[in-house]
Amino acid sequence: MPPYRLILTSCGLTSRDLKAEFKRMLGEGGGEGKTVWYLPTAPLRDGMPMSFVNGQVADLKREYGFERVEVIDVEYVKGDKLKKAIAELGRIDVVYAEMGNTYNLRHHLRDSGGDQLVYAAMDAGAIYVGSSAGSIVAGRTIQMAFWKDWDDRTAEGTIRVNWEDKELSRGLDLGGGRGFFPHANGQYGRKNWQDAQARKHGHTDHE
């Protein structure tokens, strides 16, 4: 299997270069006739309203001409219900994992059976677009979120997970064993700060 097709960002497809690369990856016709599975699980547990999700969906359709952008939240759609919902989409061309609460997204992807459905879509050639939390979850470990410690580890008191546990904090690992750290600007982009965080959290064993 060739390497997975990923676009991992801090704030989504916001720059001209990112948009151009995404269009290149989509190929001729852009989003015409293509389907997106949009994951709203992170923003809706990070203080963002459904209107934010709706706006993002509208932007994807307008910018890239997608025929279908289906919002399926793995916090609420799980197990056989999730399998059926994904099967009804047919071919998934893009998995879009939105910004927000990293822990909520990771927990519910695993709890719902979503992990395997993401892998199946990727194996079939889908593009994974990660924005902030979605980018972290794509990596080897979501403990990358520890580095800044911005996110509520209980997702507004709705989950109880020991995120210090290396196994429970494993990400989707779509990037060949790498961890991903978005928003690496200012002091967070300095190598000495990043090296210190890697040592502090036991992340020196991988890129």
Side-chain angles (χ1 to χ4, degrees):
M1 180 69 198
Y4 289 135
R5 301 199 296 161
L6 313 173
I7 297 186
L8 304 179
T9 76
S10 293
C11 299
L13 301 167
T14 53
S15 74
R16 181 175 60 186
D17 288 345
L18 283 171
K19 290 176 181 179
E21 177 60 14
F22 187 44
K23 288 176 181 177
R24 184 195 69 78
M25 293 173 72
L26 287 171
E28 188 175 352
E32 184 179 355
K34 294 184 172 69
T35 297
V36 180
W37 173 15
Y38 180 97
L39 284 156
T41 312
L44 295 179
R45 284 292 177 192
D46 200 39
M48 300 180 209
M50 195 64 198
S51 59
F52 166 80
V53 170
N54 292 337
Q56 296 292 86
V57 169
D59 286 347
L60 286 169
K61 289 182 176 180
R62 180 177 60 252
E63 183 78 30
Y64 305 103
F66 285 111
E67 180 172 316
R68 188 174 186 184
V69 181
E70 194 71 21
V71 177
I72 301 176
D73 189 346
V74 292
E75 181 171 349
Y76 302 102
V77 185
K78 297 178 179 288
D80 289 342
K81 186 177 178 183
L82 179 61
K83 289 179 183 178
K84 181 179 179 183
I86 295 301
E88 288 174 352
L89 295 182
R91 176 180 170 84
I92 295 174
D93 300 285
V94 178
V95 177
Y96 195 108
E98 188 59 88
M99 67 179 75
N101 189 292
T102 306
Y103 305 106
N104 201 56
L105 176 59
R106 183 68 201 100
H107 171 72
H108 289 294
L109 266 176
R110 179 165 45 224
D111 184 61
S112 66
D115 281 11
Q116 298 308 315
L117 298 172
V118 170
Y119 293 139
M122 301 301 292
D123 287 340
I127 302 166
Y128 181 101
V129 180
S131 177
S132 192
S135 295
I136 294 175
V137 167
R140 174 172 167 171
T141 175
I142 69 158
Q143 288 184 359
M144 301 302 290
F146 289 4
W147 288 23
K148 287 186 177 181
D149 204 24
W150 284 355
D151 292 4
D152 173 6
R153 298 188 191 188
T154 72
E156 301 177 337
T158 62
I159 59 176
R160 295 183 64 183
V161 178
N162 176 16
W163 295 113
E164 300 286 346
D165 184 300
K166 298 287 187 182
E167 190 59 34
L168 293 176
S169 61
R170 285 185 64 83
L172 292 170
D173 201 10
L174 301 178
R178 298 174 179 87
F180 300 112
F181 178 62
H183 307 288
N185 51 3
Q187 68 165 326
Y188 306 119
R190 296 173 185 160
K191 187 176 186 303
N192 60 351
W193 184 88
Q194 293 182 8
D195 288 347
Q197 294 303 309
R199 289 192 299 271
K200 177 180 178 181
H201 298 295
H203 300 158
T204 57
D205 61 340
H206 66 281
E207 185 179 348

